[in-house]
Amino acid sequence: MAEEKKAGKSKLVIMLIAVIVLLIVIGGAAIWWFMLRSTAAPTPAEVAQQKLQNTKFIDLGSLVTNLQSADGSTHYIQVQIQLKTYDPSVETSVKTFMPEIRNGILLLLSAQNADTVSQPAVRDQLLQKIKAQVNQILETDGGALKNPPADKAPPIASVYFASFVVQ
């Protein structure tokens, strides 16, 4: 009987030690989870650095079309356009929809008036229209989707003229 009490006490001591060790491990994990792990949002500098690393410029090549003219003469515009994105995978989509993108841009350019297209304000508006046109094509998969997803940032961040010639 004395041996049974010793065996029972030793089992109790082992279980007690196991429970204490388990509580220490759980407590340590809780302290790490709530206090030591990094939960801080990235700083603006970190976000900027990440964007800089992912920045990609996509060249659409040279586009030439005629312009609207009030005096009846023929005027042409030649532009080279660069698209800026922070998602390197967008380049594949741009290449896929390149004919559609170029067509949309040519339609926008040919609707411009030769007398006003050289004004800086008109150029800025034209860049914004090109950006909207390209984003619309990319976000709707060339028109396959009715509405672009509202929760994502647009694929093209900016549009730039690498060259701009009106004749």
Side-chain angles (χ1 to χ4, degrees):
M1 187 105 160
E3 286 181 22
E4 285 181 16
K5 282 187 176 182
K6 279 187 175 181
K9 281 187 176 182
S10 64
K11 283 185 182 179
L12 183 63
V13 169
I14 291 173
M15 286 182 26
L16 187 59
I17 290 173
V19 168
I20 290 173
V21 168
L22 183 64
L23 287 174
I24 289 173
V25 169
I26 290 173
I31 289 172
W32 174 83
W33 179 260
F34 290 112
M35 294 186 174
L36 300 178
R37 82 177 170 102
S38 176
T39 58
T43 65
E46 292 171 340
V47 171
Q49 181 66 25
Q50 182 70 20
K51 277 188 171 184
L52 181 63
Q53 289 174 349
N54 291 333
T55 300
K56 178 80 175 163
F57 287 93
I58 304 164
D59 185 12
L60 295 184
S62 184
L63 298 154
V64 179
T65 188
N66 57 331
L67 292 170
Q68 301 292 322
S69 177
D71 62 4
S73 348
T74 305
H75 294 279
Y76 297 98
I77 185 170
Q78 177 184 4
V79 296
Q80 187 170 0
I81 297 175
Q82 302 275 329
L83 306 176
K84 179 181 181 181
T85 184
Y86 297 116
D87 182 0
S89 68
V90 169
E91 185 173 17
T92 304
S93 296
V94 168
K95 286 182 180 179
T96 301
F97 296 110
M98 185 67 79
E100 223 173 313
I101 291 169
R102 289 177 61 92
N103 179 63
I105 293 172
L106 284 170
L107 291 174
L108 285 172
L109 291 172
S110 66
Q112 301 302 308
N113 189 324
D115 299 331
T116 60
V117 75
S118 293
Q119 297 172 359
V122 174
R123 285 187 189 187
D124 288 341
Q125 289 174 354
L126 189 54
L127 287 172
Q128 293 307 315
K129 287 179 184 178
I130 292 170
K131 178 182 167 187
Q133 174 84 20
V134 173
N135 279 331
Q136 179 69 24
I137 291 168
L138 295 176
E139 289 173 336
T140 61
D141 287 338
L145 304 174
K146 293 194 182 233
N147 296 319
D151 59 341
K152 287 178 38 179
I156 302 301
S158 300
V159 177
Y160 301 100
F161 289 124
S163 70
F164 190 95
V165 178
V166 176
Q167 185 179 26

